[in-house]
């Protein structure tokens, strides 16, 4: 096991134990529920957008495995302060990261702690756990108020 692998494991364990932005925004402008039946992960994402379409606040709640919870926690940190367009672009890149389809010249340092998920493609069933919070965030921004199922 390499030291970066251990560091990544630790990031996931820490965010599972003490997730950031856990809870619900009282008066959200956007909200969506997500469910991953393969693992049983459930998540509700609430978002508060301001007039300039910037994400002022984003929170999540629900129950799920360490991967889904850590991914949700790190997502809120990565997305807060971004515009809708930036958030959706970031999601596309993150999805490429976890499915190992990023362009070879892409600077992965941009992902920061989200690099903890960079070897998740080795465990295909776990990709759904890592991507569920992101799909749910996207659904919330697109105002699709039904439950998102990752299959
Ligand atoms: Zn899971």
């Amino acid at each position: 096991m390499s030291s970066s692998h251990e560091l990544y494991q630790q990031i996931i364990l820490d965010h599972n134990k003490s997730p950031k932005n856990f809870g619900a925004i009282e008066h959200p402008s956007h909200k969506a529920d997500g469910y991953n039946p393969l693992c049983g992960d459930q998540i509700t994402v609430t978002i508060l957008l301001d007039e300039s379409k910037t994400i002022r606040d984003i929170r999540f709640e629900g129950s799920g495995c360490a991967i889904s919870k850590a991914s949700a926690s790190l997502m809120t940190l990565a997305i807060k302060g971004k515009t809708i367009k930036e958030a959706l672009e970031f999601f596309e890149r993150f999805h490429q990261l976890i499915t190992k389809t990023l362009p070879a010249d892409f600077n992965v340092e941009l992902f920061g702690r989200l690099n903890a998920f960079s070897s998740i493609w080795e465990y295909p069933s776990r990709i759904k756990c890592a991507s569920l919070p992101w799909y749910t965030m996207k659904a919330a921004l697109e105002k699709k108020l039904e439950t998102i199922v990752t299959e």
Side-chain angles (χ1 to χ4, degrees), residues 36 39 41 65 68 126 129:
N36 172 17
C39 180
D41 308 313
C65 66
S68 68
R126 292 311 210 166
C129 301

Side-chain angles (χ1 to χ4, degrees), residues 55-147:
I55 296 169
R56 263 309 130 229
D57 201 5
I58 174 168
R59 291 175 182 271
F60 78 99
E61 59 186 352
S63 59
C65 66
I67 303 272
S68 68
K69 212 161 157 187
S71 181
S73 174
L74 287 160
M75 175 186 76
T76 61
L77 295 176
I79 291 306
K80 203 185 271 194
K82 285 191 161 48
T83 64
I84 294 181
K85 189 165 173 281
E86 289 168 342
L88 295 178
E89 282 171 3
F90 200 93
F91 167 62
E92 290 303 322
R93 290 303 188 184
F94 178 70
H95 196 259
Q96 289 177 332
L97 173 78
I98 62 175
T99 53
K100 213 176 191 293
T101 54
L102 270 177
D105 60 347
F106 190 80
N107 179 9
V108 295
E109 282 176 28
L110 289 176
F111 293 115
R113 284 167 293 183
L114 282 165
N115 275 305
F117 298 94
S118 59
S119 32
I120 211 102
W121 58 271
E122 293 171 39
Y123 314 93
S125 65
R126 292 311 210 166
I127 291 174
K128 315 262 190 216
C129 301
S131 60
L132 177 71
W134 294 79
Y135 277 114
T136 310
M137 175 272 290
K138 186 168 184 266
L141 288 177
E142 290 170 349
K143 285 257 186 197
K144 286 181 193 159
L145 291 175
E146 75 269 30
T147 297

Side-chain angles (χ1 to χ4, degrees), residues 14 31 41-43 51 75 112 116 128 134-135 140 148:
D14 288 349
K31 179 181 177 187
D41 308 313
Q42 294 181 18
I43 186 169
E51 310 81 57
M75 175 186 76
K128 315 262 190 216
W134 294 79
Y135 277 114
I148 296 304

Side-chain angles (χ1 to χ4, degrees), residues 25 27-32 45-49 84 137 139-143 145:
I25 298 169
H27 300 291
S29 57
H30 296 67
K31 179 181 177 187
V45 172
T46 48
I47 295 172
L48 185 63
L49 279 187
I84 294 181
M137 175 272 290
L141 288 177
E142 290 170 349
K143 285 257 186 197
L145 291 175

